[in-house]
Amino acid sequence: MQFKNSILRLCQQSKFMLSAAKVNQYPDDQGFEIAFAGRSNAGKSSALNTLTSINLAHTSKTPGRTQLLNFFKLDDNRRLVDLPGYGYAKVPIQVKLHWQHRLEGYLNGRRSLKGLIITIDIRNLMNDFDLLMLNWAIARNMPIHILLTKADKLSYSAAKDTFLKVQSEIHQSLSDVITIQLFSAPKRIGLKDAYTILSSWMQLADKSTHITE
Ligand SMILES: Nc1nc2c(ncn2[C@@H]2O[C@H](COP(=O)(O)OP(=O)(O)O)[C@@H](O)[C@H]2O)c(=O)[nH]1
Ligand SMILES: [Mg+2]
């Protein structure tokens, strides 16, 4: 692996910054921010853990923090954000609306937001919340990259078939600029593709970085 000023090095040095409930608690809105969104249980924390040195067991899994926005610092100008998981079936509608309101507040106002990584369980594709999020991002020309998570739960050929099918459906019915890939946290599948996206959205000049999976 090559380190010099690469996305890989920044991710490996990443640090928890703060948890925020309100706009006035967010870090300064400058530089580059990439947000991770997804339905609860889709594998968002596991993906963030796998791509970074962040130990979400000590951050977003701390009681109360799952409903907050958790900011992680890569360097002085670059951050990752763990957004509240959406669409968790068991929470009361009031709480759901509250989450949605908070998410919208962040998404609509954040100038440094450069793109959204959306985690979708490969065995549990697209629900209304995923579509809402995708349509919101498309309407604002916000770059979207989808991680089809838990790819290890299917055979290689079944995962590949699902990936091709979802990719073609998304390109046909939503937008042909959305990128999509297979991902597995325990098997470390798809890390290189994910780093390439993060690096490009954060304008890091490390195209030559060799990342082994
Ligand atoms: N087999 C497998 N399990 C995963 C993967 N990603 C997450 N999980 C499991 O799925 C559950 C939910 O994952 P988590 O990352 O907490 O989801 P979140 O609610 O979206 O943050 C946990 O039990 C994880 O261990 C994956 O890539 N493969
Ligand atoms: Mg989580």
Side-chain angles (χ1 to χ4, degrees):
M1 285 196 214
Q2 195 176 312
F3 283 91
K4 222 169 95 198
N5 212 17
S6 68
I7 187 67
L8 183 62
R9 197 188 60 133
L10 293 186
C11 280
Q12 287 174 338
Q13 294 177 350
S14 53
K15 296 259 165 14
F16 173 68
M17 281 178 92
L18 56 91
S19 295
K22 301 191 200 127
V23 174
N24 64 7
Q25 299 166 337
Y26 299 166
D28 281 354
D29 193 2
Q30 56 78 33
F32 303 83
E33 207 160 87
I34 295 177
F36 283 63
R39 219 186 315 176
S40 298
N41 222 36
K44 183 161 55 78
S45 301
S46 304
L48 267 160
N49 271 341
T50 307
L51 291 165
T52 66
S53 61
I54 298 163
N55 186 349
L56 286 161
H58 291 297
T59 52
S60 65
K61 283 205 172 140
T62 305
R65 284 202 180 149
T66 48
Q67 293 171 33
L68 302 175
L69 286 87
N70 296 295
F71 291 83
F72 304 95
K73 177 178 172 161
L74 298 188
D75 68 16
D76 287 344
N77 285 317
R78 296 178 174 89
R79 297 171 300 281
L80 300 178
V81 188
D82 184 18
L83 297 177
Y86 48 79
Y88 185 56
K90 289 186 189 133
V91 304
I93 186 74
Q94 238 38 39
V95 179
K96 264 190 201 170
L97 291 174
H98 190 63
W99 281 359
Q100 201 171 322
H101 185 69
R102 188 172 288 166
L103 265 183
E104 278 170 10
Y106 169 79
L107 293 169
N108 288 328
R110 199 69 178 161
R111 283 195 317 271
S112 55
L113 182 63
K114 302 300 180 212
L116 277 177
I117 306 273
I118 300 185
T119 51
I120 298 178
D121 187 329
I122 194 164
R123 303 161 307 166
N124 200 1
L125 299 168
M126 295 294 186
N127 75 352
D128 290 350
F129 280 100
D130 293 321
L131 272 178
L132 209 66
M133 186 62 97
L134 289 168
N135 281 317
W136 173 88
I138 292 162
R140 281 157 187 78
N141 287 323
M142 177 66 62
I144 303 166
H145 183 69
I146 296 175
L147 301 181
L148 279 185
T149 60
K150 312 192 190 182
D152 58 284
K153 294 274 191 185
L154 301 182
S155 70
Y156 176 76
S157 61
K160 189 87 186 172
D161 284 352
T162 308
F163 160 73
L164 291 171
K165 191 166 147 265
V166 174
Q167 180 175 247
S168 109
E169 277 172 15
I170 285 177
H171 286 176
Q172 274 170 34
S173 64
L174 290 172
S175 156
D176 59 6
V177 293
I178 293 176
T179 50
I180 176 163
Q181 66 159 105
L182 292 172
F183 192 86
S184 161
K187 293 276 161 66
R188 301 177 72 80
I189 295 167
L191 297 194
K192 187 174 175 180
D193 289 348
Y195 283 129
T196 302
I197 291 288
L198 294 179
S199 176
S200 135
W201 287 356
M202 290 195 164
Q203 294 186 13
L204 284 161
D206 63 340
K207 290 201 169 54
S208 61
T209 302
H210 175 66
I211 297 162
T212 50
E213 287 188 12

